[in-house]
Amino acid sequence: MKLRIFTEPQQGADYDTLLAVAKATEDLGFDAFFRSDHYLAMGGAEGLPGPTDAWITLAGLARETKRIRLGTLVTAATFRLPGPLAIQVAQVDQMSGGRVELGLGSGWFAAEHAAYGIPFPDDKFARFEEQLAIVTGLWATKPGDTFDFDGKHYQLTGSPALPKPVQDPLPVIIGGTGPKRTPRLAARYASEFNVPFHSVEDTAAGFGRVRAAAEAYGRPADELVYSNALVVCVGDSDAEVARRAAAIGREVDELKANGLAGSPAEVVDKIGRYAEVGSSRIYLQVLDLHDLDHLELIAAQVQSQL
């Protein structure tokens, strides 16, 4: 089981804060640093000093880290045209020496689109599917050849399909719990399928649907990585758990029910239950980005037990 640190900077974080978390992620032996791709705070958070762009952030971190994987959970297909997105991700992969992963989703948060003038179409999922075909198609095109695409929403003609990422193929992460379309797209395009913020039982069902879809597509189900994203709140004592829960505006009992919370032993045990249904990566949603002691505790008493 690999643990990855997953941040939500739209809730309030500047680049220097994210850099400090990314460096701690690397120094403490975690597998990866991931961030959300949002432009508006949620749940009443002030979000100060304001949003940071995911791929600009990852470009900076690509040059300031050496080992950890870097990526998004998830970039919204509504935010960027697929051709420029393929260029951006390939360039950041080059800047990192081949450590980037692209989490891509259809987009869902209407308010942030309205706040920053981003169109929010009705047919988001159809656009998402075309984006997956285009981004992966551009990267797969052999040097010297060109790429064309004639879709309902996007058309590309004679694209040189450059630049190329270092990785071939660059990992693509698709997530969610949709019963039909999401498994089909994961089977066709994803290297990893992620179930975010759901129970062990829901995770098992989601993994099962994707495994079946992969086999129906003619792809070995074990070729995909299966993962989860879960909020984390760990403490050496009940008081420390309560303090950390209060700092992120959550209740301990709710966190224990819906995430990874409690003592290191409790968290190790719950991670084990996710591993039993096939998860091999957990994205730890860390909401207090100034509490680096939290990361140290997880590294020393949770990660070391896995």
Side-chain angles (χ1 to χ4, degrees), residues 34-53:
F34 271 61
R35 59 158 292 163
S36 60
D37 194 355
H38 285 294
Y39 292 128
L40 200 65
M42 304 171 193
E46 292 182 346
L48 297 175
T52 52
D53 182 84

Side-chain angles (χ1 to χ4, degrees), residues 120-143:
F120 192 67
D122 292 332
D123 52 354
K124 295 182 296 299
F125 204 92
R127 291 173 180 269
F128 171 45
E129 184 168 1
E130 289 192 13
Q131 285 222 358
L132 284 166
I134 293 167
V135 170
T136 58
L138 287 168
W139 291 338
T141 300
K142 295 180 180 179

Side-chain angles (χ1 to χ4, degrees), residues 87-110:
I87 291 171
Q88 289 169 331
V89 178
Q91 184 177 4
V92 178
D93 195 49
Q94 291 177 359
M95 294 168 70
S96 71
R99 294 184 284 122
V100 161
E101 303 179 15
L102 170 63
L104 189 61
S106 61
W108 63 271
F109 190 18

Side-chain angles (χ1 to χ4, degrees), residues 255-274:
L255 287 169
K256 287 187 176 185
N258 298 315
L260 299 172
S263 69
E266 288 178 286
V267 171
V268 169
D269 178 72
K270 192 165 186 181
I271 288 174
R273 298 204 294 274
Y274 281 94

Side-chain angles (χ1 to χ4, degrees), residues 187 191 207-208 210-216 218-226:
S191 57
F207 288 175
V210 171
R211 295 181 72 89
E215 291 169 359
R219 180 181 181 187
D222 288 340
E223 191 174 279
L224 282 84
V225 172
Y226 299 87

Side-chain angles (χ1 to χ4, degrees), residues 150-190:
D150 186 18
K152 178 181 178 181
H153 302 287
Y154 304 104
Q155 298 80 40
L156 286 75
T157 303
S159 173
L162 297 171
K164 301 297 185 191
V166 172
Q167 300 173 92
D168 183 19
L170 187 146
V172 173
I173 305 166
I174 293 175
T177 56
K180 295 181 179 179
R181 293 186 297 179
T182 296
R184 175 177 57 82
L185 291 186
R188 182 171 183 179
Y189 294 109

